Amino acid sequence: MSRLLTSATPRHLARTRTLMTTTSFTPTQLSIRHSILSLCRTKFPNSYWREADQTSSDPTSFHAAIASAGFLGIALPESYGGAGLGISEATMMMQSIAESGAGMAGAQAIHANVYATQPLLKFASEEMKSEVLPRIVDGSERVCFGVTEPGAGLDTMSLRTTAVRQMGEDGEEVYRISGQKVWTTCAHVADRIILLARTSPREAVSKPSAALSLFCIPLDRTQEGLTMRRIPKMGGRAVDAAEVFFTDYTAHASCLIGGVEGKGWEIVTHGMNAERCLLAGEALGLGYAALERAASYAKEREVFGRPIGKNQGIAHPLAEAWIRLEAAKLATYHAARMYDESTASEASSAVGQQDVDAPTQKEVGVAANSAKYLAAEVAFAACERAVLTHGGMGYAVEYDVERWFRESLVPRIAPVSREMILNFVGEKVLGLPRSY
Amino acid sequence: MHPTSARLLNILVPIKRTIDYAVKIRVNPQNTGVDTNVKHSMNPFDEIAVEEAIRQRERNKDAIKSIKVVSIGPPKASEVIRSALAMGADSGIHVEYPDSAPSPEPLAIAKTLKAIIEREAKEKNAPIDLVILGKQAIDDDAGQTGQMLAGLLGWGQATYASKVELDASGKSANVTTEIDGGSQQLKGQLPMVITTDLRLNEPRYASLPNIMKAKKKPVEKLSPSDLGIDLTPLLETIRISEPAKRQAGAKVETVEELVAKLKEAGFKAA
């Protein structure tokens, strides 16, 4: 092997080096990984993310670069400018973004554009799809997702934001929206919000979920009825998370997704397992990035005349983190593959072909939630260990690991807590009675 | 139609699937070769060659008709062909030999490339005007294929290129090449062979639409016998072994001590 290279390693090679083993991934997944890592590490190095985090400034140029390289449409059909791939590929993309050093901030800057467009694709009218999807894919518009409210987190059924259908001033039907959303990622830079709101009082419908509807609403900042407030937060500070207030905000009636009220919950849940997979991938990326940094520091940093990595007290926790990351990786891509298989089987059963071996929604849900749980826990462990490996330097911004550590709390909390996943597995897999 | 009557140029980029540059190479236990059950990717110098072909087309938009890549290798060499197609090459040729076959030598590769170039001219009516390839592959470091190919074809060659200026209408190229202690400027008429050095460019990342398009681009599969070529090596590898471990040296505190040690070891002032 050429020693000529060791003295002058081309920059384009160093950028795709990682700790993860890549056996059993498809050539397409590997091409995506190679391309994303190259793009991110060349154009958006850690200094970019440190600065964005420190100054709480949106990574606008990053979003634009990912869009112009055609990646935002990864899981959308070619007819809308997408690539027509599945969640297995989208997960790989999100993992590679996080793994490049961009961390959760990089992932969150585009997450909703990849994930929240899925329900749109399945349920929206052709008119809405052809208006919105190509603009999200080419990056000319960004989208955010508004479900959570101060009084409705995991108990979505109790959400209070209302959308009332009325005759507008110009004689066209509109929705008047009032209420508050919270933790809306990228609200300040988004052009549209996918919004879950109540279209009937809870008691007026047969089941609580039938009172909710999903909208795709342009964010018109000239309307007085729309205000936003940025939430100061622990990590991922480059990307804003906001409180969004609607007071008699007016949107054209055509913004209702699916054309019928009461379908909101069904539409939202459709994309949830996909989002779990993406989050699991993002967590993995974060974990591998932190571990790689820790291992390289442990090789270089000398104390008592030898590298600290020679001490098993340093080496073993890092080795354990790697083993757990690899296991979580298998769980994650297993879940993503199941999701894609079930989606493909839905599509073929729609044309009258049943695939009896396809995973059920419950199986997909169990796999996706389990993967998210595992990946989030090991990402946190890897990030914490990376900080500790660096000793005092781990606390310094310059070494990046403190940024990743702060961000590693996100996949543990969102989009569903660890405790709710354990509840879900307890009930659905073990058959235990529900506690809530 | 193109305004001039000049024929548009066709570029051929030979690429090789090699052990990934980041893999630590280990000699196999039988001492017959290196462990090849490791990550492979496109030879980095060939990646630079693919990039250069694409950049030349970007610069001379209407003058370059096609960029074709060719890889001579086992079944998995198709992966590096797809990578090159995702970067922007138009089509590929895979001259496939079985996994069990020994690695061909540069001369056999050069003869195969010559056969392909003749075939492109005769059968495909797409005569090759320019061959751009890596100066060497990072596995065997032979660094001979480009030169041998130019010799077999009787074409001009510019090796270790760090800058290529193509004059498409004049059918010539100005090439800056790396030589010991500096660089030299060469000018040659097409057709010619150019081998790439590190400084030539930095290869791009493939966009997602291009990754998807690459799946549909044509790749022709040939066997060496289709081209009338025998890839059997002329040399026999007798034994491959790791370099001997270097003994640790000793540290000296002062120049005087160093001089004393050198004298001790028998060195004398000139």
Side-chain angles (χ1 to χ4, degrees), chain B residues 57-175:
Chain B
R57 174 153 66 187
E58 285 166 354
R59 267 180 235 139
N60 305 279
K61 261 196 176 51
D62 301 321
I64 292 169
K65 186 175 167 199
S66 76
I67 299 172
K68 187 171 268 195
V69 295
V70 53
S71 191
I72 301 148
K76 281 196 165 171
S78 62
E79 290 168 11
V80 300
I81 295 176
R82 289 289 164 206
S83 305
L85 296 178
M87 286 173 73
D90 304 316
S91 62
I93 299 177
H94 182 186
V95 182
E96 190 180 307
Y97 58 78
D99 277 318
S100 54
S103 222
E105 290 161 355
L107 183 57
I109 296 296
K111 284 178 176 171
T112 311
L113 293 174
K114 177 173 181 260
I116 285 171
I117 288 165
E118 286 168 354
R119 187 172 173 269
E120 289 294 308
K122 268 187 226 148
E123 293 178 25
K124 303 286 172 76
N125 195 26
I128 301 296
D129 303 280
L130 182 59
V131 178
I132 310 178
L133 73 169
K135 66 171 180 177
Q136 68 191 94
I138 61 166
D139 47 8
D140 57 15
D141 282 336
Q144 299 168 4
T145 305
Q147 292 87 332
M148 285 177 169
L149 176 63
L152 290 173
L153 290 164
W155 292 6
Q157 57 180 298
T159 54
Y160 308 96
S162 58
K163 191 177 183 190
V164 176
E165 288 169 306
L166 195 60
D167 176 0
S169 53
K171 290 215 159 194
S172 67
N174 276 311
V175 186

Side-chain angles (χ1 to χ4, degrees), chain A residues 23-367:
Chain A
T23 322
S24 85
F25 285 120
T26 65
T28 304
Q29 284 175 314
L30 293 176
S31 301
I32 288 166
R33 178 173 176 76
H34 187 266
S35 184
I36 286 282
L37 285 173
S38 306
L39 188 165
C40 293
R41 288 188 171 164
T42 331
K43 291 195 172 171
F44 304 98
N46 279 303
S47 53
Y48 174 88
W49 295 104
R50 276 199 295 273
E51 161 101 23
D53 190 73
Q54 292 289 302
T55 56
S56 295
S57 43
D58 184 75
T60 310
S61 56
F62 167 76
H63 167 267
I66 294 286
S68 83
F71 280 99
L72 291 185
I74 189 163
L76 291 173
E78 287 173 30
S79 49
Y80 302 108
L85 296 169
I87 293 302
S88 302
E89 289 80 17
T91 302
M92 177 57 90
M93 171 177 89
M94 298 308 287
Q95 173 179 343
S96 306
I97 287 172
E99 201 169 345
S100 74
M104 294 306 294
Q108 287 185 317
I110 62 162
H111 182 93
N113 301 283
V114 175
Y115 144 72
T117 46
Q118 292 299 309
L120 227 55
L121 176 67
K122 191 166 159 81
F123 297 97
S125 66
E126 190 49 49
E127 195 187 346
M128 183 186 279
K129 284 194 275 193
S130 48
E131 183 195 339
V132 178
L133 295 180
R135 291 185 196 169
I136 293 173
V137 170
D138 72 17
S140 56
E141 286 195 8
R142 292 170 76 174
V143 70
C144 64
F145 203 60
V147 173
T148 306
E149 296 184 2
L154 294 164
D155 53 340
T156 312
M157 292 308 147
S158 57
L159 67 79
R160 290 211 195 114
T161 299
T162 57
V164 181
R165 199 175 179 113
Q166 289 178 349
M167 195 55 76
E169 284 155 16
D170 54 1
E172 294 217 40
E173 281 201 295
V174 295
Y175 278 99
R176 292 208 187 275
I177 299 155
S178 294
Q180 182 193 350
K181 293 292 169 184
V182 73
W183 291 115
T184 307
T185 301
C186 289
H188 281 85
V189 291
D191 301 281
R192 288 174 202 265
I193 183 167
I194 312 271
L195 183 84
L196 189 64
R198 178 170 298 282
T199 39
S200 317
R202 196 168 180 162
E203 44 304 335
V205 285
S206 54
K207 52 178 186 176
S209 63
L212 306 180
S213 301
L214 195 67
F215 300 88
C216 177
I217 297 171
L219 286 169
D220 174 8
R221 289 171 173 83
T222 61
Q223 284 195 39
E224 278 180 19
L226 175 66
T227 49
M228 295 180 187
R229 197 156 61 204
R230 201 176 170 117
I231 304 169
K233 58 189 165 96
M234 177 177 178
R237 291 180 185 165
V239 173
D240 77 277
E243 294 177 283
V244 183
F245 302 89
F246 296 98
T247 317
D248 260 341
Y249 181 84
T250 310
H252 196 272
S254 63
C255 67
L256 175 67
I257 297 174
V260 193
E261 291 183 1
K263 294 256 181 204
W265 181 244
E266 182 198 334
I267 300 174
V268 166
T269 49
H270 173 76
M272 277 186 172
N273 290 329
E275 195 189 18
R276 308 271 191 278
C277 293
L278 298 185
L279 243 301
E282 292 162 21
L284 287 175
L286 196 62
Y288 279 111
L291 184 61
E292 191 175 356
R293 183 63 69 81
S296 90
Y297 186 79
K299 260 183 272 183
E300 283 161 19
R301 167 76 175 151
E302 293 200 0
V303 177
F304 302 119
R306 57 188 206 157
I308 59 170
K310 204 168 181 179
N311 302 311
Q312 293 179 341
I314 297 287
H316 285 185
L318 297 180
E320 195 206 4
W322 184 82
I323 291 168
R324 289 174 61 197
L325 277 168
E326 288 284 306
K329 173 194 75 178
L330 297 176
T332 299
Y333 288 94
H334 169 68
R337 199 164 51 241
M338 281 173 81
Y339 180 90
D340 289 337
E341 279 169 17
S342 84
T343 311
S345 117
E346 267 177 37
S348 58
S349 71
V351 293
Q353 293 167 322
Q354 281 291 337
D355 179 3
V356 287
D357 295 330
T360 63
Q361 278 310 301
K362 185 182 123 182
E363 287 167 331
V364 176
V366 168

Side-chain angles (χ1 to χ4, degrees), chain B residues 153-215:
Chain B
L153 290 164
W155 292 6
Q157 57 180 298
T159 54
Y160 308 96
S162 58
K163 191 177 183 190
V164 176
E165 288 169 306
L166 195 60
D167 176 0
S169 53
K171 290 215 159 194
S172 67
N174 276 311
V175 186
T176 308
T177 68
E178 312 236 342
I179 54 171
D180 283 346
S183 60
Q184 64 177 354
Q185 311 276 337
L186 298 173
K187 182 173 182 176
Q189 285 296 312
L190 301 185
M192 72 187 289
V193 174
I194 295 173
T195 75
T196 60
D197 214 326
L198 284 181
R199 259 183 283 258
L200 183 57
N201 61 49
E202 189 175 333
R204 70 194 56 203
Y205 48 84
S207 73
L208 184 57
N210 284 344
I211 292 173
M212 300 308 291
K213 275 184 215 150
K215 294 174 187 236

